[in-house]
Amino acid sequence: MSTTRYASVLGLGFGDCGKGHFIDALTRRWQAHTVVRFNGGAQAGHNVVTPPVAKSPSQHHTFAQFGAGTFVPGVRTLLVDPMIPHPTALLVEAEVLGGIGANDALARLMIDGQCRVTTPFHQAAGRLRELLRGAAAHGTCGAGVGETVRHGLEHPGQELRYGDLSQGNATTAGTLPDRLQAIRETLLAEFRPQFPKANAGAPSAEFQLLKDETVAEKWLASARALARHCPPASYEAIRAQLKQAGCVLFEGAQGVLLDEWRGFHPHTTWSSINTAVVDGVAARFGIDAPIEHYGVIRTYLTRHGAGPLPTHDKSLDALLPEPHNSGAGWQGTFRRGHPDAVLLRYALEAAGRLSGLFISHLDVFQRGLSLKWCEGYSIEPPSMQWARYVEQISLGVGKDLDHQLALTHLLQNARPRYNTEPIRSAPDFLERIAEVTSLPVAFCSYGATCADVREK
């Protein structure tokens, strides 16, 4: 029998549901030695707030690439393919963490040599692509994760892996400087027609970066510095880390409603978040022990930027402040909506077989607030595909983006139908969840720190 406990924490919304918060709490409670990031990239925004201890004040960090258990001494972060690291952003995050007490975060980091790597050219191209969409924006964090995937699929010979950074200039695919320049030149050629007057002054700093021939050398120097501090981890080293006795936590990025194949196209990530992805990563490293999979639900829905949110209610903005989430930056407006049974049913089906649920933000009811419970949607006018009243939306068969686009159109035309009884307390909310699923609620959170997480 395995002496290692394996568990994953997966978001059941559009992100910002509290995954990092629960990872921090479970790292302490279950004495985890490793937190694994297995999907997404540098665009994760997992907020962790530590409780004040003695004379030490509370600390806060929005984890982008490091595991959300990093505040716990000795806990390692492991980044494994298909997670996509951003080397220079990792160095910046390590410096920030050092300033708030985790000064050995980089020494506790392991990176799979097979991980694809985001370069500044991917980041610039992703931002340009979103700018050019104008009012039809898909939604982006601006970190270049999706662009790294897209570019690798279209130009596999230019794909850069983390292991390449420690091999010197000469590789089977050409020197690293040459490969970086090839990425830059390929993307520049794609976007140049969009900026015909670029030589007279392009309207975007992102386009100017693609034109700059000196960026590759500067970036490569920093990326190699990271590879020296944190050499690419071999299959054997990763397997040994995962096999250590104790607890390993898999920290999901984004939420299943943003999944590349199960989210609502085109307002999605280029990353998958479900139990099968976790199981696949574990199997790749010879882990055949059972994995406990937990889905995270926030009491109210949230969404950054573009994309459907049927229960969006502007009146909730002032009632539900978000000290660590704003509409600034590339993600766009941070919206709030009432809990939605239709999307919850869909998320539970899309996520895969779960062991239980974690519920965050139950403290909203301690402030005297009440929320509405969306039981279904009214569709006006009804179409041949969708009836006037919808209680459940179905998954497509396989990787069917046409089906996902149809769901997007449905959600954009949906009017929520609310239960006549509002939700006024945590027990009320848990009763509504029990009406949707028989999954047990393992932990509930009533505040911002690990001290506010309680067993059900």
Side-chain angles (χ1 to χ4, degrees), residues 50-225:
T50 65
V53 178
K55 295 183 180 180
S56 300
S58 175
Q59 300 283 11
H60 164 257
H61 181 68
T62 302
F63 286 92
Q65 297 185 78
F66 283 88
T70 301
F71 278 135
V72 182
V75 174
R76 299 189 73 101
T77 292
L78 172 57
L79 311 182
V80 295
D81 180 50
M83 193 272 183
I84 301 172
H86 189 315
T88 46
L90 265 170
L91 290 171
V92 172
E93 186 174 5
E95 184 176 356
V96 172
L97 284 166
I100 52 177
N103 52 18
D104 64 342
L106 206 56
R108 291 188 273 139
L109 176 65
M110 296 179 70
I111 305 178
D112 180 3
Q114 293 301 307
C115 286
R116 292 163 292 182
V117 171
T118 292
T119 72
F121 308 123
H122 296 121
Q123 186 167 340
R127 293 177 175 185
L128 282 171
R129 208 173 298 283
E130 185 76 338
L131 287 171
L132 290 169
R133 293 185 184 114
H138 291 176
T140 181
C141 294
V145 179
E147 190 64 29
T148 304
V149 178
R150 186 203 66 81
H151 190 89
L153 290 172
E154 295 184 6
H155 306 279
Q158 295 178 9
E159 195 170 58
L160 193 63
R161 301 273 176 174
Y162 187 70
D164 296 334
L165 298 177
S166 63
Q167 293 181 4
N169 276 346
T171 70
T172 56
T175 70
L176 286 177
D178 286 347
R179 288 170 65 188
L180 283 169
Q181 293 293 6
I183 293 171
R184 182 187 67 82
E185 290 168 1
T186 298
L187 292 169
L188 178 61
E190 180 180 353
F191 286 101
R192 192 183 292 280
Q194 308 290 339
F195 300 100
K197 299 181 181 179
N199 292 329
S204 171
E206 314 302 333
F207 185 77
Q208 293 292 349
L209 185 144
L210 290 180
K211 291 176 60 182
D212 191 340
E213 297 180 1
T214 68
V215 170
E217 184 178 354
K218 296 173 185 175
W219 179 85
L220 187 56
S222 294
R224 281 177 164 161

